[in-house]
Amino acid sequence: MALSKMDDYIIPAAVTSLASYQYAYFAMQVGQVRRKLKFPPPKTTGEPEFERAHRAQQNAVEFAPIFFPIYWVSCFFFHPVLASIPGCLYVIGRHMYFKGYCEAPGKRLSGFKMISVSLRALLFMGAAGIATAALRRYADINLYKYVAEYSGGYL
């Protein structure tokens, strides 16, 4: 197995940076709503518009420890570019979720569905990549070799 180079991870680094910026953007949006409504800290309840923005931002924060690790596991063990497709969909879905929730709680669902599908794809990629690497390392079974042989050399 060839060692990875830093250049292999330019796209995952860009997706991670974009997602991190997005988290900061959400926090700033919550602050803007607070200022607009003149809703002083530390209050978090009593103003529905603020509560929706705050809850949308908190939901994003709650998913961060799920998204970032499984995204990078998928990048390392599956493929950095292929894992970036659901990684980008996650960021788009997160934006849809935040924007929708700020308008009305029911409008967050399409974003949540995109988030859910992208996380499932990343979980599958990560698990498949780890399983393949473990079989190669500990059982001397190279699945890529077998797939290439049975596909008639098309891979």
Side-chain angles (χ1 to χ4, degrees):
M1 181 174 159
L3 290 176
S4 297
K5 300 179 298 237
M6 290 299 287
D7 288 354
D8 294 338
Y9 298 97
I10 292 171
I11 294 173
V15 171
T16 300
S17 297
L18 180 62
S20 298
Y21 169 78
Q22 185 180 55
Y23 283 92
Y25 171 78
F26 292 160
M28 289 186 291
Q29 292 299 110
V30 171
Q32 282 184 341
V33 171
R34 186 181 284 282
R35 284 188 297 280
K36 178 181 111 176
L37 299 172
K38 295 179 176 45
F39 192 64
K43 290 173 69 173
T44 57
T45 58
E47 196 59 67
E49 184 180 349
F50 175 79
E51 289 176 16
R52 288 192 307 272
H54 183 254
R55 192 65 234 148
Q57 189 253 348
Q58 286 301 303
N59 286 6
V61 170
E62 291 164 3
F63 271 79
I66 299 168
F67 170 68
F68 287 113
I70 197 60
Y71 174 57
W72 278 96
V73 165
S74 298
C75 289
F76 287 133
F77 287 96
F78 192 80
H79 193 280
V81 176
L82 295 179
S84 293
I85 295 168
C88 286
L89 290 176
Y90 176 87
V91 172
I92 293 166
R94 182 53 61 199
H95 179 77
M96 291 168 54
Y97 181 92
F98 184 85
K99 184 177 178 196
Y101 204 160
C102 286
E103 291 176 20
K107 291 186 176 184
R108 74 190 193 283
L109 297 178
S110 61
F112 183 78
K113 288 175 185 173
M114 186 179 289
I115 291 165
S116 180
V117 168
S118 64
L119 287 175
R120 285 187 203 140
L122 289 170
L123 285 166
F124 172 79
M125 290 176 172
I130 290 169
T132 301
L135 286 170
R136 186 175 50 246
R137 173 76 168 101
Y138 299 111
D140 200 27
I141 298 172
N142 188 338
L143 291 180
Y144 295 120
K145 182 178 110 182
Y146 290 117
V147 170
E149 286 175 12
Y150 290 112
S151 68
Y154 290 107
L155 295 177

